[in-house]
Amino acid sequence: MKGKLPAAAMCLVGVGLVALVGCASSMVPQHTRHVDSGITSVIQASLEANDKVKARQVDVQTRDGVVYLSGVVDTEDARREAGRVAWRTEGVEGVVNDLTVGERIARDTKGVKDVRNELIVGKKTD
């Protein structure tokens, strides 16, 4: 019986830790979430007003004062400018610029096999 009690206690502690970690995202204070959403809004508006960046190409998210930029922009200058806009915004404590430069790949309604056949083999499959 002695060996079973500590094992059961450890199991309960483990379950409690898993539950605590799982709820961590909902434990962000409402004030912090409000500040983060304000930062995101200011950056999005600044990008809209910026001639170097197409704001629709940039996804902006903020968590605990850190701004996360993602998406595909047309030029390296646009990528850098989006980062500068984010850094210049009041309340920003960090910027993670995951923007990539290049063309967006449009999804075709055809299957991969059909596209491959048309491009490589030169044969259409209807």
Side-chain angles (χ1 to χ4, degrees):
M1 181 78 173
K2 273 187 174 180
K4 290 186 180 183
L5 184 59
M10 292 302 289
C11 184
L12 286 174
V13 168
V15 169
L17 285 174
V18 168
L20 180 63
V21 170
C23 295
S25 64
S26 64
M27 295 174 64
V28 175
Q30 185 174 357
H31 173 73
T32 301
R33 287 192 306 259
H34 180 72
V35 169
D36 287 345
S37 67
I39 290 171
T40 297
S41 296
V42 168
I43 293 171
Q44 288 170 332
S46 297
L47 291 173
E48 287 285 339
N50 192 305
D51 293 336
K52 295 180 184 177
V53 182
K54 294 178 182 171
R56 63 179 161 67
Q57 295 178 331
V58 181
D59 180 49
V60 181
Q61 295 183 11
T62 307
R63 181 159 175 88
D64 297 329
V66 178
V67 176
Y68 297 87
L69 304 174
S70 61
V72 181
V73 293
D74 295 334
T75 65
E76 181 64 26
D77 286 340
R79 188 185 77 75
R80 280 192 231 122
E81 181 64 15
R84 282 192 285 268
V85 166
W87 270 113
R88 284 188 234 134
T89 303
E90 186 177 339
V92 171
E93 296 181 21
V95 175
V96 177
N97 191 342
D98 284 332
L99 291 169
T100 56
V101 178
E103 295 182 17
R104 291 180 185 261
I105 298 173
R107 298 257 179 207
D108 197 341
T109 57
K110 294 183 177 190
V112 173
K113 181 179 177 182
D114 294 336
V115 172
R116 187 197 68 192
N117 285 337
E118 284 184 37
L119 294 175
I120 297 174
V121 181
K123 132 180 149 178
K124 288 189 176 185
T125 56
D126 291 332

